[in-house]
């Protein structure tokens, strides 16, 4: 058993290299500071994580860290770790020294595959060997390995491409099969509907005929009642009229026989549902976790069939490409109104009454009716940042730096101040749920009651740029650093994180009543529709639809209308309202 100390040293160096790097910047520790949870980070990394706040979560274990007035300087410096980093760097520098002659490495022996100093070149040990410059040999060997990797990567890409084509072909074939099967079933249903209509017409005719028979029978019953009264007279009168009574009885009896012969069975044998010789027990196509559209046809032991057809708001779409198909929600947007009421609109909200409220950078609220006619303007005293609807007639406007929320009442097509809620922290982004006001500031989401008392605060993973609370599904949708959309429950537990290369500089985020989220990208110039599983459903609007840098998006209470706030090339804002059809 021979121990290769060089290999052991190299392995130990690799392990030590990992432990001497900051988990945030992945570089060697620079001025490391230790958190109360014992995890260490560079001082500059901690400054970036806390983002000027006195509380943040440890990037490693997520434990809450509360700083004093000194900030990061108040944390303990890890001098031993700093010394280890310096010593390791020194050892790494020493590793570039020739061990035999204690001189700096200057070349590489390709025959022996070892690094050499100047004296090694002239030693008998490397006599006649192929020598080379370190950088030249390294480039040569690097190119050789890169060529081999390129070949391997090409084969992997070929496998993936073939697999993708196969999957897409199978998906297109499945779509064609679905279309054919459902068309046959629709034709079958059309035939059954026509047969039932014919049977309904026959039944209606029989019902009319039955009404005539009922009328005749009721008239006959009245005559029989008269006869019954006639035979109850005294004996002399009865015997005198007996011949006439017998004749009347004979006539009524004949009428009864006539009505009885006209009676027919009105029961209808409805046609059974057939689909050729095929017995379809269950077909289920799951297009997304949010719904489960099914067509179910079951045949029982007695030969009868049961049909259940549950409709869905989703459908399967395919492009004209031979090997391309995609699943999407059937959502159509129709532009209803485009207006430019103010050159600096940056926030908006729909009231459940149908009114649209806009907020511009001059802290002016603009009220529009359902026909988008301007009804009233209200200028606020301080700098307003965001607006949301608390009820069908009440608005909440955040006055960020002033640490308060203005309550605005919509009465008689006017805007009237209805009080202020003083908070204990700055508030910028605002939403609401139940009777609570939810604000976003920095990386904090705070819940307040209508009196301004703080109920709870949730620390999120980054700087909040916009905030929306879905009342129907009780989820939070946040734009974090304009980089990704974060969906979380009301406790702050992450549901999903959505980040897409084709969604850049995210502006507003919102959600409809079907658990679908929407995010607009001002740089990518589009609006993404995000499924409940945190995946892209489709891009519902883009520059091909006339978008120009969307910065905010939102729905009315019924999610039948959607607004977009956009900027043009002159940085003026425009508001577009779309009708939404699912």
């Amino acid at each position: 058993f021979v121990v290769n100390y060089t290999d052991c040293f190299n392995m130990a160096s690799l392990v030590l290299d990992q432990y001497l790097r900051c988990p945030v910047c992945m570089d060697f520790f620079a001025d490391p500071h230790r958190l109360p949870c014992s995890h260490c980070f560079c001082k500059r990394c901690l400054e970036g994580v806390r983002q000027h706040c006195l509380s943040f979560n440890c990037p490693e274990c997520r434990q809450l860290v509360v700083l004093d007035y000194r900030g990061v300087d108040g944390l303990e410096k890890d001098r031993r770790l700093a010394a280890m980093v310096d010593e390791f760097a020194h050892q790494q520098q020493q590793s570039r020294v020739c061990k035999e002659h204690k001189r700096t490495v200057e070349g590489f022996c390709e025959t022996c595959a070892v690094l050499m100093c100047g004296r090694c070149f002239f030693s008998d040990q490397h006599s006649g060997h192929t020598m080379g410059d370190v950088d030249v040999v390294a480039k040569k060997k690097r190119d050789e390995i890169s060529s081999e990797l390129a070949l391997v990567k090409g084969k992997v890409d070929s496998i993936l491409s073939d697999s993708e084509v196969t999957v897409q072909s199978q998906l297109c074939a499945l779509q064609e099969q679905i279309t054919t099967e459902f068309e046959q079933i629709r034709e079958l249903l059309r035939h059954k509907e026509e047969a039932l209509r014919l049977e309904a017409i026959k039944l209606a005719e029989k019902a009319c005929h039955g009404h005539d028979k009922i009328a005749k029978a009721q008239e006959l019953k009245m005559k029989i009642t008269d006869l019954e009264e006639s035979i109850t007279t005294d004996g002399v009168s009865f015997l005198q009229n007996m011949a006439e009574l017998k004749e009347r009885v004979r006539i009524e009896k004949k009428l009864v026989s006539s009505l009885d012969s006209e009676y027919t069975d009105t029961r209808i044998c409805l046609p059974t549902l057939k689909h050729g010789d095929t017995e379809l027990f269950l077909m289920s196509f799951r297009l997304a976790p949010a719904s489960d559209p099914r067509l179910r046809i079951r045949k029982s032991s007695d030969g009868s069939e049961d049909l259940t057809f549950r409709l869905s708001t989703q459908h399967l779409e395919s492009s004209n490409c031979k090997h391309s198909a995609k699943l999407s929600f059937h959502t159509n947007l129709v532009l209803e109104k485009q207006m430019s009421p103010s050159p600096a609109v940056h926030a908006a909200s729909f009231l459940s009454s149908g009114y649209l409220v806009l907020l511009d950078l001059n802290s002016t609220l603009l009220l529009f009716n359902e026909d988008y006619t301007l009804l009233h303007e209200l200028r606020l005293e301080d700098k307003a940042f965001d607006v949301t609807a608390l009820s069908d007639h009440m608005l909440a406007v955040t006055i960020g730096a002033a640490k308060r929320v203005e309550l605005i009442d919509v009465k008689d097509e006017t805007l009237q101040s209805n009080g202020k809620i003083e908070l204990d922290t700055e508030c910028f982004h605002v939403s609401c749920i139940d009777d609570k006001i939810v604000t976003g500031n920095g990386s904090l989401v705070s819940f307040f009651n209508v009196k301004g008392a703080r109920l709870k605060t949730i620390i999120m993973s980054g700087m909040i740029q916009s905030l929306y609370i879905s009342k129907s599904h009780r989820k939070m949708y946040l734009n974090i650093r304009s980089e990704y959309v974060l969906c979380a429950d009301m406790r702050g537990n992450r549901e999903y994180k959505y980040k897409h290369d084709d969604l850049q500089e995210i502006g507003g985020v919102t959600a409809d009543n079907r658990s679908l989220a929407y995010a607009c990208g001002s740089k990518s110039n589009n609006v993404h529709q995000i499924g409940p599983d945190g995946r892209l459903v489709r891009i519902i609007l883009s520059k091909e639809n006339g978008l120009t840098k969307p910065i905010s998006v939102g729905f009315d209470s019924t999610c039948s209308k959607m607004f977009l706030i956009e900027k043009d090339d002159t940085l003026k804002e425009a508001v577009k309202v779309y009708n939404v059809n699912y």
Side-chain angles (χ1 to χ4, degrees):
F1 179 75
V2 178
V3 177
N4 191 327
Y5 292 100
T6 301
D7 292 343
C8 293
F9 176 78
N10 292 335
M11 183 178 297
S13 298
L14 290 175
V15 174
L16 188 59
D17 179 271
Q18 295 178 357
Y19 284 98
L20 295 182
R21 292 183 182 272
C22 173
V24 175
C25 64
M26 301 308 295
D27 201 352
F28 288 115
F29 283 106
D31 193 8
H33 283 63
R34 185 179 299 276
L35 300 182
C37 58
S38 299
H39 291 119
C40 293
F41 304 92
C42 300
K43 180 180 179 181
R44 64 172 181 271
C45 294
L46 289 176
E47 292 287 356
V49 170
R50 78 183 188 99
Q51 298 179 343
H52 306 292
C53 298
L54 293 179
S55 62
F56 61 94
N57 294 92
C58 171
E60 283 274 358
C61 64
R62 309 304 299 168
Q63 179 177 323
L64 181 64
V65 179
V66 180
L67 304 177
D68 58 18
Y69 68 94
R70 294 173 296 173
V72 175
D73 291 332
L75 296 173
E76 176 188 359
K77 289 186 178 181
D78 198 325
R79 293 182 172 80
R80 178 172 296 180
L81 181 59
M84 291 178 64
V85 171
D86 293 341
E87 180 63 24
F88 183 75
H90 177 71
Q91 292 295 333
Q92 290 293 94
Q93 184 65 30
Q94 292 296 320
S95 65
R96 297 184 60 87
V97 176
C98 173
K99 296 180 179 180
E100 182 177 353
H101 302 106
K102 308 300 180 182
R103 300 184 64 180
T104 303
V105 170
E106 298 178 2
F108 184 81
C109 176
E110 298 187 43
T111 305
C112 301
V114 295
L115 293 168
M116 302 183 304
C117 66
R119 290 186 179 180
C120 294
F121 278 99
F122 303 101
S123 65
D124 295 337
Q125 181 180 358
H126 298 284
S127 177
H129 291 182
T130 303
M131 311 293 184
D133 182 75
V134 171
D135 294 333
V136 174
V137 175
K139 183 180 183 304
K140 176 182 175 182
K141 299 298 182 182
R142 190 181 293 113
D143 292 342
E144 292 176 358
I145 296 176
S146 298
S147 299
E148 294 179 1
L149 287 176
L151 292 175
V152 175
K153 182 180 179 182
K155 292 181 180 180
V156 172
D157 290 341
S158 177
I159 294 172
L160 292 175
S161 177
D162 292 343
S163 301
E164 182 177 1
V165 169
T166 301
V167 171
Q168 296 292 349
S169 300
Q170 292 176 352
L171 185 57
C172 289
L174 176 59
Q175 181 198 356
E176 294 177 0
Q177 180 183 355
I178 293 171
T179 303
T180 302
E181 289 288 337
F182 272 73
E183 186 57 40
Q184 294 176 3
I185 294 170
R186 293 188 188 98
E187 186 67 23
L188 181 64
L189 292 174
R190 284 194 289 268
H191 287 313
K192 181 173 182 179
E193 181 184 11
E194 186 63 27
L196 290 176
R197 289 184 184 276
L198 293 176
E199 294 295 339
I201 293 173
K202 293 179 182 179
L203 180 60
E205 293 174 352
K206 291 180 179 181
C208 293
H209 186 62
H211 286 307
D212 294 338
K213 291 191 295 182
I214 291 172
K216 291 179 181 179
Q218 288 177 344
E219 182 181 355
L220 183 57
K221 184 177 180 181
M222 293 176 63
K223 292 180 180 181
I224 293 172
T225 302
D226 292 339
L227 287 173
E228 289 176 343
E229 292 178 356
S230 300
I231 63 176
T232 59
T233 59
D234 60 278
V236 176
S237 299
F238 171 74
L239 292 175
Q240 287 177 345
N241 299 320
M242 184 177 62
E244 182 183 352
L245 291 173
K246 284 185 175 182
E247 181 61 23
R248 289 177 62 183
V249 170
R250 186 188 66 81
I251 294 172
E252 305 305 337
K253 186 177 180 181
K254 185 178 180 179
L255 288 174
V256 171
S257 299
S258 176
L259 286 176
D260 187 57
S261 64
E262 293 178 2
Y263 176 77
T264 56
D265 187 8
T266 58
R267 291 179 298 173
I268 299 175
C269 295
L270 299 179
T272 57
L273 181 66
K274 300 293 182 181
H275 184 51
D277 297 326
T278 305
E279 295 181 6
L280 301 177
F281 292 95
L282 176 65
M283 281 195 298
S284 177
F285 303 101
R286 181 172 291 277
L287 304 185
S291 64
D292 189 11
R294 296 182 179 180
L295 169 70
R296 181 179 297 148
I297 305 175
R298 287 178 175 171
K299 181 173 289 186
S300 60
S301 59
D302 60 358
S304 62
E305 293 173 327
D306 170 62
L307 171 67
T308 301
F309 185 32
R310 179 160 52 177
L311 297 177
S312 170
T313 56
Q314 297 174 307
H315 72 289
L316 189 66
E317 289 183 346
S318 66
S319 67
N320 295 325
C321 183
K322 182 178 179 181
H323 300 298
S324 178
K326 62 180 181 179
L327 297 176
S328 68
F329 287 75
H330 185 63
T331 306
N332 294 322
L333 299 177
V334 179
L335 181 61
E336 180 182 15
K337 183 69 175 179
Q338 179 173 345
M339 51 185 175
S340 300
S342 169
V345 173
H346 68 95
S349 180
F350 271 110
L351 290 166
S352 58
S353 57
Y355 288 172
L356 175 63
V357 178
L358 305 179
L359 175 65
D360 66 15
L361 292 177
N362 295 320
S363 299
T364 302
L365 284 174
L366 308 172
L367 178 66
F368 296 83
N369 64 10
E370 294 179 341
D371 297 327
Y372 308 107
T373 301
L374 180 61
L375 300 177
H376 191 73
E377 296 184 17
L378 177 65
R379 181 70 179 268
L380 302 175
E381 296 179 359
D382 297 312
K383 186 69 174 178
F385 197 87
D386 198 5
V387 60
T388 190
L390 293 181
S391 64
D392 58 347
H393 63 88
M394 190 67 68
L395 297 169
V397 182
T398 54
I399 311 298
K403 300 182 181 180
R404 74 171 185 269
V405 174
E406 295 271 0
L407 299 180
I408 308 297
D409 198 355
V410 181
K411 288 184 177 180
D412 302 325
E413 298 185 343
T414 63
L415 298 169
Q416 302 177 18
S417 179
N418 195 27
K420 303 174 182 179
I421 299 177
E422 302 293 339
L423 307 180
D424 58 1
T425 182
E426 293 181 344
C427 56
F428 294 97
H429 315 284
V430 66
S431 189
C432 65
I433 185 168
D434 302 330
D435 57 346
K436 304 175 184 64
I437 297 174
V438 186
T439 67
N441 173 35
S443 60
L444 305 179
V445 176
S446 301
F447 291 72
F448 300 91
N449 62 18
V450 293
K451 295 183 178 180
R454 186 194 294 263
L455 302 177
K456 67 175 180 178
T457 296
I458 300 174
I459 302 176
M460 307 310 295
S461 59
M463 186 69 67
I464 300 170
Q465 300 295 336
S466 57
L467 163 71
Y468 176 76
I469 306 293
S470 172
K471 302 178 183 64
S472 57
H473 298 96
R474 307 188 73 81
K475 303 287 186 185
M476 294 192 297
Y477 298 90
L478 304 103
N479 167 15
I480 304 298
R481 296 193 301 270
S482 299
E483 296 177 359
Y484 61 88
V485 175
L486 180 65
C487 175
D489 61 19
M490 301 311 295
R491 295 183 177 180
N493 300 316
R494 187 170 79 175
E495 298 280 336
Y496 64 77
K497 171 184 175 181
Y498 179 78
K499 187 174 184 179
H500 197 282
D501 293 339
D502 196 28
L503 184 64
Q504 301 176 11
E505 292 188 7
I506 301 174
V509 294
T510 187
D512 61 16
N513 51 19
R514 300 165 62 228
S515 293
L516 296 174
Y518 298 79
C520 59
S522 59
K523 184 176 181 180
S524 55
N525 203 13
N526 51 21
V527 179
H528 281 218
Q529 187 182 54
I530 308 167
D533 57 352
R535 298 184 180 182
L536 173 66
V537 176
R538 65 178 179 136
I539 298 176
I540 60 173
L541 290 172
S542 63
K543 61 182 179 181
E544 285 75 15
N545 304 109
L547 289 194
T548 54
K549 299 180 181 178
I551 61 173
S552 183
V553 60
F555 282 94
D556 66 351
S557 59
T558 64
C559 294
S560 61
K561 290 186 179 182
M562 182 182 79
F563 72 79
L564 273 178
I565 301 176
E566 306 176 11
K567 290 184 179 179
D568 59 17
D569 294 335
T570 62
L571 299 182
K572 291 184 178 180
E573 280 77 7
V575 180
K576 292 181 179 179
V577 181
Y578 296 85
N579 283 323
V580 184
N581 300 312
Y582 295 107

